[in-house]
Short mmCIF file of all heavy atoms in Angstrom, two decimals:
data_model
loop_
_atom_site.label_atom_id
_atom_site.label_comp_id
_atom_site.label_asym_id
_atom_site.label_seq_id
_atom_site.Cartn_x
_atom_site.Cartn_y
_atom_site.Cartn_z
N ASN A 180 110.93 13.50 -112.42
CA ASN A 180 110.96 13.54 -113.86
C ASN A 180 112.28 13.24 -114.41
O ASN A 180 113.25 13.20 -113.53
CB ASN A 180 110.30 14.94 -114.37
CG ASN A 180 111.45 15.93 -114.44
OD1 ASN A 180 112.23 15.99 -113.43
ND2 ASN A 180 111.36 16.87 -115.20
N SER A 181 112.43 13.04 -115.66
CA SER A 181 113.69 12.59 -116.28
C SER A 181 114.78 13.62 -116.07
O SER A 181 116.00 13.22 -116.13
CB SER A 181 113.48 12.11 -117.71
OG SER A 181 112.89 13.31 -118.49
N GLU A 182 114.39 14.78 -116.05
CA GLU A 182 115.37 15.93 -115.90
C GLU A 182 115.65 16.48 -114.53
O GLU A 182 116.21 17.44 -114.32
CB GLU A 182 114.95 17.15 -116.82
CG GLU A 182 114.86 16.81 -118.34
CD GLU A 182 114.33 17.95 -119.10
OE1 GLU A 182 114.00 19.11 -118.50
OE2 GLU A 182 114.17 17.75 -120.29
N GLU A 183 115.18 15.55 -113.58
CA GLU A 183 115.39 15.89 -112.14
C GLU A 183 114.66 17.28 -111.82
O GLU A 183 113.55 17.45 -111.81
CB GLU A 183 116.80 15.70 -111.70
CG GLU A 183 117.25 14.38 -111.96
CD GLU A 183 118.55 14.18 -111.19
OE1 GLU A 183 119.24 15.12 -110.56
OE2 GLU A 183 119.17 13.05 -111.33
N GLU A 184 115.57 18.24 -111.48
CA GLU A 184 115.09 19.55 -110.97
C GLU A 184 114.13 20.30 -111.98
O GLU A 184 114.56 20.32 -113.10
CB GLU A 184 116.11 20.37 -110.48
CG GLU A 184 116.99 19.82 -109.33
CD GLU A 184 116.28 19.71 -107.99
OE1 GLU A 184 115.22 20.46 -107.93
OE2 GLU A 184 116.55 18.91 -107.25
N ILE A 185 112.89 20.71 -111.53
CA ILE A 185 112.13 21.58 -112.42
C ILE A 185 111.81 22.90 -111.60
O ILE A 185 111.87 23.04 -110.50
CB ILE A 185 110.82 20.87 -112.80
CG1 ILE A 185 110.06 20.54 -111.57
CG2 ILE A 185 111.15 19.52 -113.53
CD1 ILE A 185 108.63 19.83 -111.93
N ASP A 186 111.38 23.81 -112.54
CA ASP A 186 111.05 25.17 -112.03
C ASP A 186 109.69 25.21 -111.64
O ASP A 186 108.80 25.22 -112.62
CB ASP A 186 111.55 26.20 -113.11
CG ASP A 186 111.24 27.65 -112.64
OD1 ASP A 186 110.95 27.83 -111.39
OD2 ASP A 186 111.33 28.55 -113.50
N PHE A 187 109.28 25.51 -110.39
CA PHE A 187 107.96 25.58 -109.94
C PHE A 187 107.44 27.06 -110.02
O PHE A 187 106.30 27.42 -109.51
CB PHE A 187 107.70 25.03 -108.54
CG PHE A 187 107.55 23.51 -108.58
CD1 PHE A 187 108.64 22.69 -108.70
CD2 PHE A 187 106.24 23.03 -108.48
CE1 PHE A 187 108.37 21.32 -108.74
CE2 PHE A 187 106.05 21.63 -108.47
CZ PHE A 187 107.10 20.63 -108.60
N LYS A 188 108.37 27.91 -110.45
CA LYS A 188 108.06 29.32 -110.60
C LYS A 188 107.51 29.89 -109.31
O LYS A 188 107.83 29.69 -108.17
CB LYS A 188 107.24 29.54 -111.78
CG LYS A 188 107.70 28.98 -113.03
CD LYS A 188 106.70 29.05 -114.13
CE LYS A 188 107.37 28.46 -115.39
NZ LYS A 188 106.41 28.30 -116.56
N ASN A 189 106.23 30.70 -109.49
CA ASN A 189 105.61 31.10 -108.12
C ASN A 189 104.54 30.36 -107.73
O ASN A 189 103.51 30.91 -107.21
CB ASN A 189 105.07 32.63 -108.53
CG ASN A 189 106.28 33.51 -108.79
OD1 ASN A 189 107.41 33.46 -108.04
ND2 ASN A 189 106.21 34.34 -109.77
N SER A 190 104.43 29.07 -108.04
CA SER A 190 103.21 28.23 -107.85
C SER A 190 103.32 27.65 -106.41
O SER A 190 102.09 27.27 -105.89
CB SER A 190 103.22 26.98 -108.83
OG SER A 190 104.45 26.11 -108.57
N LEU A 191 104.29 27.62 -105.66
CA LEU A 191 104.16 27.14 -104.28
C LEU A 191 103.79 28.20 -103.24
O LEU A 191 104.44 29.20 -103.11
CB LEU A 191 105.59 26.60 -104.02
CG LEU A 191 106.21 25.46 -104.88
CD1 LEU A 191 107.66 25.16 -104.55
CD2 LEU A 191 105.41 24.27 -104.80
N VAL A 192 102.67 27.88 -102.75
CA VAL A 192 102.01 28.86 -101.74
C VAL A 192 102.46 28.48 -100.26
O VAL A 192 101.69 27.43 -99.81
CB VAL A 192 100.52 29.05 -101.92
CG1 VAL A 192 99.89 30.06 -100.98
CG2 VAL A 192 100.17 29.34 -103.35
N ASP A 193 103.35 29.01 -99.66
CA ASP A 193 103.77 28.61 -98.33
C ASP A 193 104.15 27.14 -98.17
O ASP A 193 103.69 26.48 -97.21
CB ASP A 193 102.70 29.12 -97.27
CG ASP A 193 102.46 30.67 -97.27
OD1 ASP A 193 103.46 31.38 -97.48
OD2 ASP A 193 101.36 31.07 -97.09
#
Side-chain angles (χ1 to χ4, degrees):
N180 79 328
S181 57
E182 298 179 359
E183 297 191 2
E184 299 293 333
I185 61 175
D186 183 9
F187 276 81
K188 304 172 184 176
N189 297 318
S190 64
L191 301 173
V192 182
D193 297 327

